[in-house]
Amino acid sequence: MSARIPGPSRVQTTSAPVRRKQASSKRGSSVPLTLFLYTVFVLFVFGMLFMLWFFLTKPGTDLRFMMADTLITTQHRHWAKYLIGSEELEKRVNRYWAQFDIYSGVKDEGLVKVASKDPKQTKEAPKPLIEVEDISGTNFKGKLLTVRDPKSLRIAVPGKAGKGEKVSSMVQRLGAKAGVNAGGFVDPEWKGNGFQPTGLVMSGGKLFYNDGAMNTANHIVGIDKEGRMVAGKYSPNELMKMGVQEAVTFAPKFIVNGVGLIKNQADGWGIAPRTAMAQKEDGTIMFAVIDGRQPHSIGATLYDIQGIFLERGAVTAANLDGGSSSVLVVDNKIVNKPSSEYGERYLPTAWLIFDEPDQADIDNIWEGLDPRKIDPSKW
């Protein structure tokens, strides 16, 4: 009998822990559920508080409109309506264009006096034609390209019809020292082939492309035969009479006569990758190329760029195409970090810098083509 006593005893001692384990398991399973519900509640409360702050307070509204302006400058402009509404989006875009027209109307007083590049007329040791330096701000990093002779600049275009060309390819093909993206282009579904510019293109004093009438004014950025930067709203006929040699369409002009026209960050047209061009009083050209939409650099406003240029003595400045098009090529190498997920974009125009600009073999690939019949989406 003594052999049978341990049997029931073992059964009783093992069954109790099993029941406790099952009970503990039920209590344990309720803990994650409670934690989950608590987390959802906290997130909901914080979300509601954020929405109230975002839509009903001045700091929140300022941030909301800054985000909307940023979207306005991208390929996803329509998303801005979810931040400010469709009606406000349309008003804001129209307000910017009206503002750009006002900027264009500020008269240039002719402060730029292009310095002589004849070594016989100066005792100073010759400086390199181009220099590159790093620039940065609170939310951005980029490069500043300095070009000492404005007459070394040419507008380059693709070598073959039907498709744009990467700036790095143009630099290599034409033997340039450096290159920067230039004017805008028609970009359907944001997958355009980069072949059809917007507005007009001039190179070597000739009108390469024009999608309007000869008396239709466009916002342009260019260089005249004296090496002076020209920015504002002009028709092709006016540009020809002014002796403009190189030009593309983009906006806005934002420094005139050494005065910045953008008054604050709120009018800086959002945060984005940017390319902009400026000129000093002695004729020196500066290109700012800002990275954006990346961890190392979110992007810059035009107000940020204006500050960089004014600090370096700019008397004239204007915006160029930016976003995923922003790229700087020096000595056949891309020296910034373009934001396009597909790599360097195919573009219709670029500012190239040459030792011998008159020898650059740049042909008009749009000659004889009807702008209305170009398919910018066909690769």
Side-chain angles (χ1 to χ4, degrees):
M1 290 180 64
S2 62
R4 295 176 185 175
I5 294 173
S9 177
R10 285 196 297 269
V11 171
Q12 291 173 355
T13 55
T14 56
S15 61
V18 169
R19 286 194 296 272
R20 286 197 298 272
K21 184 177 181 182
Q22 290 173 344
S24 175
S25 176
K26 290 179 181 179
R27 288 196 301 271
S29 64
S30 66
V31 172
L33 178 60
T34 302
L35 183 61
F36 171 75
L37 293 174
Y38 176 75
T39 302
V40 170
F41 174 75
V42 171
L43 290 175
F44 174 77
V45 171
F46 274 102
M48 290 300 296
L49 291 174
F50 174 78
M51 294 298 283
L52 291 171
W53 176 85
F54 195 52
F55 284 93
L56 299 180
T57 70
K58 186 181 186 304
T61 299
D62 290 344
L63 175 61
R64 188 158 47 88
F65 275 89
M66 175 67 78
M67 292 171 65
D69 285 344
T70 298
L71 288 170
I72 287 171
T73 66
T74 72
Q75 59 195 22
H76 305 298
R77 174 179 292 182
H78 60 285
W79 288 358
K81 68 182 180 182
Y82 298 114
L83 292 170
I84 59 176
S86 298
E87 184 177 347
E88 187 61 37
L89 170 60
E90 184 177 357
K91 286 181 181 179
R92 200 151 182 88
V93 171
N94 291 337
R95 184 176 73 83
Y96 270 120
W97 282 111
Q99 211 170 27
F100 295 169
D101 286 341
I102 292 172
Y103 292 170
S104 293
V106 180
K107 186 178 180 181
D108 189 327
E109 298 176 358
L111 300 180
V112 173
K113 308 295 181 184
V114 179
S116 172
K117 302 302 175 182
D118 186 350
K120 297 179 181 179
Q121 298 181 14
T122 179
K123 297 179 180 179
E124 296 181 1
K127 296 180 180 179
L129 176 60
I130 62 173
E131 286 186 350
V132 179
E133 64 179 285
D134 293 329
I135 51 177
S136 62
T138 304
N139 299 310
F140 66 88
K141 292 183 179 180
K143 302 289 183 181
L144 186 80
L145 173 68
T146 298
V147 184
R148 289 192 167 81
D149 183 0
K151 294 181 182 180
S152 67
L153 289 164
R154 291 290 307 274
I155 285 293
V157 302
K160 296 180 181 179
K163 182 179 178 180
E165 187 175 359
K166 295 179 179 180
V167 175
S168 59
S169 175
M170 294 187 202
V171 168
Q172 186 172 21
R173 176 172 59 85
L174 294 168
K177 293 183 71 65
V180 178
N181 64 291
F185 59 101
V186 181
D187 196 14
E189 298 299 321
W190 312 290
K191 298 177 181 178
N193 58 27
F195 182 63
Q196 185 174 17
T198 53
L200 59 81
V201 177
M202 292 185 69
S203 185
K206 298 178 181 179
L207 186 63
F208 274 24
Y209 182 89
N210 180 30
D211 61 14
M214 291 299 290
N215 288 318
T216 300
N218 286 285
H219 287 277
I220 69 98
V221 184
I223 295 286
D224 70 11
K225 60 185 178 182
E226 303 299 328
R228 292 187 297 258
M229 182 175 168
V230 178
K233 202 169 184 179
Y234 301 95
S235 70
N237 277 333
E238 288 175 314
L239 295 174
M240 299 295 282
K241 291 178 182 178
M242 292 163 61
V244 172
Q245 300 295 293
E246 319 292 325
V248 294
T249 291
F250 219 78
K253 167 171 78 172
F254 57 88
I255 295 177
V256 185
N257 305 318
V259 178
L261 302 179
I262 303 172
K263 301 307 179 185
N264 50 56
Q265 288 285 13
D267 284 336
W269 207 18
I271 297 171
R274 297 200 178 277
T275 300
M277 178 178 173
Q279 188 171 42
K280 298 182 182 183
E281 192 170 342
D282 67 355
T284 299
I285 293 290
M286 296 180 288
F287 289 100
V289 182
I290 306 298
D291 295 342
R293 303 172 192 160
Q294 300 173 72
H296 77 282
S297 179
I298 299 173
T301 67
L302 284 182
Y303 187 70
D304 293 325
I305 307 302
Q306 178 177 276
I308 289 171
F309 283 154
L310 289 175
E311 287 174 3
R312 289 161 174 79
V315 296
T316 305
N319 191 34
L320 294 170
D321 190 18
S324 54
S325 298
S326 290
V327 64
L328 170 60
V329 179
V330 179
D331 295 331
N332 293 319
K333 295 180 180 179
I334 299 173
V335 298
N336 73 311
K337 295 182 180 179
S339 65
S340 173
E341 60 182 310
Y342 307 107
E344 191 183 356
R345 295 205 74 182
Y346 290 85
L347 306 174
T349 55
W351 286 104
L352 299 193
I353 297 91
F354 296 91
D355 282 322
E356 301 291 339
D358 294 336
Q359 304 302 314
D361 186 16
I362 302 173
D363 296 322
N364 184 3
I365 55 168
W366 297 292
E367 189 171 7
L369 296 180
D370 184 343
R372 296 169 297 180
K373 296 181 180 179
I374 294 175
D375 185 351
S377 63
K378 185 177 180 180
W379 283 81

